[in-house]
Amino acid sequence: MTAVIFAGTAYAEPQRIALLGVHFQNDNEGYEPTTDAEKNRLNMISTAFKEQLEASGKYTFVPVPASEQQKIDAGQLVGACGGCEFDYGRDLNVEHVAWIRVQKISNLILNINVYMADVAKRKVTFIHSVDLRNNTDESWMRGLNYLLQNYLLPGAQG
């Protein structure tokens, strides 16, 4: 049997969490339409976010059923909807919800914003942003990894 130890971190039971989505805001859509590469990067950071939080031992992700995801996608933007994120979390029976926004200001300036909320307390508990300088797979992953390792999961990464 192999044991994995995260430095200085011990969690009793992982908290149940749902990722409500990754939203892309392209400030220059008319001049620089969203590319397939950018759409793929949204999926890439969604997967990496879930994998790193689960690897920390602190969280376990609950899948969002397609019918619920359609409802989320059709509604107002999560985080700017007057508390809909808490209702989604209640419906999914999770302790926490998370959502990510990526804002593309230009091909050289982007930012990744990560939000987490406690469903029972109806309170946003984590908001952090990192700026990216370049629009590549590598820059997106570096930005997400930096945010997670230095702000959301410090000490939990081995």
Side-chain angles (χ1 to χ4, degrees):
M1 184 164 129
T2 303
V4 177
I5 300 172
F6 293 100
T9 307
Y11 301 107
E13 281 292 316
Q15 297 283 303
R16 292 170 46 87
I17 186 170
L19 180 61
L20 300 179
V22 180
H23 175 75
F24 189 63
Q25 177 182 326
N26 184 348
D27 290 349
N28 291 299
E29 182 70 35
Y31 300 108
E32 293 180 21
T34 302
T35 66
D36 288 340
E38 291 164 338
K39 292 173 188 173
N40 291 335
R41 288 182 193 120
L42 296 171
N43 291 326
M44 178 183 71
I45 65 170
S46 174
T47 299
F49 179 78
K50 292 177 192 176
E51 287 174 352
Q52 289 190 48
L53 265 64
E54 285 197 335
S56 75
K58 189 173 180 180
Y59 299 98
T60 185
F61 275 85
V62 171
V64 178
S67 60
E68 188 73 9
Q69 192 63 58
Q70 288 173 346
K71 183 173 140 185
I72 293 167
D73 294 343
Q76 292 179 313
L77 190 61
V78 173
C81 55
C84 66
E85 59 274 6
F86 304 113
D87 297 334
Y88 296 137
R90 184 195 63 233
D91 293 347
L92 294 166
N93 193 31
V94 295
E95 287 92 15
H96 302 277
V97 291
W99 61 98
I100 300 172
R101 286 198 194 128
V102 178
Q103 180 184 14
K104 176 183 172 183
I105 298 162
S106 72
N107 257 333
L108 296 176
I109 303 171
L110 299 94
N111 59 57
I112 297 175
N113 306 278
V114 173
Y115 305 84
M116 290 178 65
D118 183 305
V119 174
K121 293 180 182 175
R122 296 186 65 86
K123 180 178 179 181
V124 175
T125 56
F126 181 85
I127 303 173
H128 207 84
S129 178
V130 292
D131 291 337
L132 309 179
R133 294 298 179 259
N134 209 346
N135 189 8
T136 64
D137 291 356
E138 182 181 359
S139 66
W140 283 47
M141 284 307 300
R142 278 188 180 179
L144 180 69
N145 290 339
Y146 184 85
L147 188 150
L148 295 177
Q149 292 171 13
N150 291 284
Y151 297 103
L152 184 57
L153 301 171
Q157 301 295 315

